[in-house]
Amino acid sequence: MFPSLCEVSTDQLKEAVKKLLQFLHETLQISGAHTVDFYTQDIWKKLVAVSPETVLSAFSKHNGTSHHIGKEVPELSSIFSNQQLVNIEAFVEASHSHSLVNMGICTSVDELLEALAVHKAGSPDLKTDQFMNDKKSHEVLIMSQLVQSIANICGVKQVIDLGAGKGYLSSYLSMKYNLKVYGIDSSDTNTDGANRRNQKLKKYWKTYKTDAREVSKAQESDQNKDCLLPNYSCQEVNTDREIPKPKSCFPKLEESSISNDLKSINVSEWKRDQENYQRTLQPADSDRSSPFLDILPADAVEEQTFSKSVHKSLSEQEKEQRKMENISIKEQRGSRVYLPLTCKITVETELSEIIEDLEESIMVGLHTCGDLAPNTLRIFTAKPEIKAVCSVGCCYHLLSEEFESPEEEITVTTWGFPMSIHLKESSWFFGRNARMSACLLSDMEIMEYFEKYKPRKNEMEAFNMLKVLLAPCIEALILLDRLLYLKEQNNLAWSGLVKLFDPVKSPRCYAVVSMKKV
């Protein structure tokens, strides 16, 4: 499907997993150590044969240095002896080798976009920093471009955003690329917040779109003239008639009361400037001529309609009621292309019961928590109408593990880890402590604990650095398991792990991407 794009074979994945499992098996005693037991069970002396100062010095030495892909990995026998860490330099080197960035398995987002023959869309660029923080803006800009390009090559116009949260990605996909987006979240609070934010975003978009249209018209009419175009970033405007401007195209962020999530907007001042500007420009075409101006309206969602969460299969009466509600919403919605919904998604969820006009779609998730990320992949492989998936997971500590407590009565039928047959056969599990370290102590006990072991604080600091170094290795196995699961399917055209974001800006930077055969 993509001749210019290399794909990692299943055998390569299995070999990488085999080596990673060997390393994690030896280091699990470190990543699985509980903070509560650290001093009381003298964990440092049991597991580490070098001093805390040696460990901290080694981390300081390696901080900022790069690891070369293909570099020889130290033997485990040189790192551990009698179940104790004896060579910190080799431990650091091996940990780097077993992280995704150094395995040579991932595809860069630039490589994937090039293979998809991406061309920049003609719609104006949205300045996302006006309603998102830097981290979220970085994530949304990159992921939305990839989602749009996948949707384009798959020939779909509908996107289902699972775990949509406040709707940042959904909003941008609909505004920038004119995709029909359903943002599904299990929290009423998130959905209601997305609705309020959508109302504010639409007001911004109307002005932004109008300004872009005016500049475009001026460029077309004056391309053979020796006059400057009305450009609001210029300090002077040389036109036949002076066009008064509002104070700004948007309220200046540094001078306004706008927060990152648009919780406060000086609407009256902004609206007055906009109306004055519109009367001056008097555009020839109506606002209603652009489908973008139907996006994110104030009445896009009636809160009572989707306030109920779907936790189980709907009864026939509920299905009929949902159908009538969908028809009502659809009539009100018209050409509007973004709709937040409240629903808890599981593998058993019937999407057609939630989305009345369900069609061929791409399923996406930006930092979907715990089991929602693997369930996203399972829904993708099971539902023929879902043609592609782009999923960035997070909150690995919330994953359910099939083999963690085999002696307990099993009530769960679908587990978050492992997904692949390959890892299921090995019955591998991390355990709760490796996924999450929790400390249940009272405030008084914490202070007594702290004062008692304060002289040994460097041991805790050094041990935590060891655990932090192992975190990317644990993440690697989780994501390789998800990729192996996709490789085990027989109807997929391409599957891969894509390094999507700058890890400095967004630590959970890897996306699982897959597309079905046409």
Side-chain angles (χ1 to χ4, degrees):
M1 186 175 183
F2 311 111
S4 63
L5 189 63
C6 295
E7 185 172 9
V8 179
S9 69
T10 302
D11 289 340
Q12 287 176 291
L13 281 178
K14 289 182 177 179
E15 182 62 25
V17 166
K18 177 183 176 182
K19 294 178 180 178
L20 181 57
L21 285 176
Q22 291 173 347
F23 180 70
L24 288 176
H25 179 75
E26 292 295 326
T27 59
L28 200 60
Q29 57 185 350
I30 294 176
S31 60
H34 204 296
T35 305
V36 172
D37 302 326
F38 183 75
Y39 290 121
T40 57
Q41 296 187 15
D42 215 357
I43 297 295
W44 182 268
K45 289 185 178 179
K46 284 184 178 179
L47 302 183
V48 187
V50 297
S51 69
E53 291 75 20
T54 301
V55 172
L56 294 174
S57 175
F59 275 100
S60 177
K61 177 182 177 181
H62 283 271
N63 186 30
T65 60
S66 58
H67 178 92
H68 300 289
I69 296 177
K71 190 174 181 179
E72 186 175 350
V73 182
E75 294 290 334
L76 288 173
S77 59
S78 69
I79 303 174
F80 296 94
S81 177
N82 297 322
Q83 296 186 326
Q84 278 190 313
L85 173 62
V86 295
N87 188 334
I88 183 61
E89 294 285 344
F91 176 84
V92 172
E93 193 66 41
S95 298
H96 284 316
S97 299
H98 291 297
S99 62
L100 284 175
V101 69
N102 294 314
M103 284 185 176
I105 285 175
C106 294
T107 303
S108 74
V109 66
D110 290 335
E111 289 175 326
L112 184 53
L113 290 174
E114 183 179 353
L116 296 172
V118 172
H119 301 285
K120 287 191 175 181
S123 57
D125 290 327
L126 283 170
K127 298 185 182 300
T128 56
D129 56 358
Q130 294 179 355
F131 51 91
M132 304 179 202
N133 59 35
D134 289 343
K135 175 180 179 292
K136 186 60 66 176
S137 178
H138 171 74
E139 294 165 352
V140 167
L141 285 173
I142 295 176
M143 188 165 180
S144 62
Q145 185 182 18
L146 178 58
V147 170
Q148 188 273 337
S149 62
I150 295 173
N152 183 58
I153 201 168
C154 292
V156 301
K157 294 294 290 182
Q158 189 176 88
V159 177
I160 301 173
D161 183 5
L162 297 187
K166 297 179 180 179
Y168 291 118
L169 177 63
S170 297
S171 302
Y172 193 83
L173 284 169
S174 62
M175 287 191 292
K176 170 70 174 176
Y177 298 111
N178 202 22
L179 293 167
K180 188 192 318 183
V181 184
Y182 285 92
I184 303 177
D185 196 270
S186 62
S187 169
D188 289 325
T189 302
N190 278 340
T191 303
D192 293 342
N195 294 337
R196 291 191 296 271
R197 186 170 292 101
N198 292 343
Q199 298 172 24
K200 298 172 184 178
L201 286 175
K202 184 186 178 181
K203 296 175 183 178
Y204 273 87
W205 181 245
K206 290 180 72 174
T207 295
Y208 198 93
K209 185 69 176 177
T210 300
D211 292 341
R213 184 168 60 245
E214 290 302 319
V215 172
S216 178
K217 285 183 178 180
Q219 289 174 338
E220 291 177 3
S221 61
D222 295 344
Q223 57 183 336
N224 295 322
K225 297 181 181 180
D226 294 325
C227 64
L228 295 177
L229 298 177
N231 187 328
Y232 305 127
S233 64
C234 300
Q235 297 184 2
E236 294 183 358
V237 178
N238 182 14
T239 58
D240 294 334
R241 66 183 179 92
E242 183 177 357
I243 300 178
K245 297 185 298 181
K247 294 178 182 178
S248 65
C249 297
F250 300 105
K252 291 184 179 179
L253 295 184
E254 65 273 15
E255 298 175 0
S256 71
S257 59
I258 301 177
S259 65
N260 283 335
D261 60 357
L262 288 181
K263 288 185 177 178
S264 58
I265 293 182
N266 193 339
V267 176
S268 58
E269 180 180 354
W270 176 86
K271 188 174 182 181
R272 183 178 64 252
D273 290 339
Q274 181 190 3
E275 290 173 349
N276 291 337
Y277 186 41
Q278 294 292 347
R279 283 196 294 270
T280 303
L281 292 175
Q282 295 180 344
D285 54 339
S286 168
D287 282 351
R288 304 305 298 174
S289 64
S290 171
F292 285 93
L293 300 183
D294 282 332
I295 297 170
L296 311 179
D299 61 346
V301 174
E302 291 197 2
E303 296 183 5
Q304 69 272 19
T305 301
F306 292 98
S307 61
K308 294 187 293 184
S309 298
V310 180
H311 293 276
K312 58 182 180 180
S313 298
L314 300 178
S315 66
E316 290 302 319
Q317 182 179 357
E318 289 171 326
K319 289 180 182 179
E320 186 63 26
Q321 181 182 356
R322 177 59 60 88
K323 182 178 180 180
M324 297 304 297
E325 290 171 347
N326 272 321
I327 293 174
S328 175
I329 288 293
K330 194 173 180 181
E331 290 174 349
Q332 297 178 42
R333 182 179 174 196
S335 62
R336 295 158 190 162
V337 293
Y338 171 44
L339 187 63
L341 304 175
T342 301
C343 175
K344 182 178 179 180
I345 297 293
T346 67
V347 178
E348 291 78 23
T349 301
E350 287 295 337
L351 296 175
S352 58
E353 295 179 358
I354 305 167
I355 304 172
E356 191 271 340
D357 61 340
L358 181 65
E359 58 189 57
E360 291 187 346
S361 310
I362 174 175
M363 185 165 279
V364 303
L366 176 54
H367 293 152
T368 48
C369 290
D371 286 355
L372 182 57
N375 283 342
T376 298
L377 302 182
R378 290 188 176 102
I379 294 171
F380 160 68
T381 58
K383 307 294 183 182
E385 60 269 22
I386 308 300
K387 298 302 180 183
V389 66
C390 181
S391 172
V392 180
C394 71
C395 302
Y396 301 129
H397 61 286
L398 297 178
L399 283 172
S400 61
E401 292 195 79
E402 183 173 359
F403 303 106
E404 181 177 7
S405 303
E407 70 282 355
E408 295 182 4
E409 182 179 353
I410 298 176
T411 58
V412 180
T413 57
T414 304
W415 302 89
F417 180 88
M419 291 188 69
S420 66
I421 296 174
H422 182 69
L423 274 177
K424 284 179 180 291
E425 290 174 347
S426 66
S427 300
W428 175 269
F429 68 95
F430 293 105
R432 179 177 175 81
N433 291 344
R435 291 182 285 111
M436 178 179 68
S437 294
C439 184
L440 305 174
L441 304 165
S442 68
D443 291 342
M444 183 178 295
E445 288 173 327
I446 290 174
M447 291 308 300
E448 292 176 354
Y449 191 80
F450 176 77
E451 290 299 330
K452 181 177 180 180
Y453 296 106
K454 189 174 181 179
R456 297 171 60 186
K457 188 177 74 169
N458 61 341
E459 290 181 11
M460 177 70 80
E461 182 181 356
F463 197 77
N464 282 338
M465 293 302 291
L466 295 177
K467 296 180 74 171
V468 167
L469 195 61
L470 290 172
C473 304
I474 296 173
E475 178 185 41
L477 185 59
I478 292 171
L479 294 181
L480 289 177
D481 172 58
R482 294 174 184 177
L483 183 55
L484 270 172
Y485 166 79
L486 293 174
K487 293 284 188 180
E488 291 168 353
Q489 315 304 313
N490 57 15
N491 63 334
L492 305 182
W494 186 86
S495 302
L497 290 177
V498 180
K499 187 181 179 184
L500 205 55
F501 310 131
D502 179 349
V504 175
K505 294 182 178 180
S506 180
R508 302 280 79 80
C509 61
Y510 295 100
V512 180
V513 179
S514 184
M515 287 160 272
K516 289 179 180 175
K517 296 176 181 177
V518 179

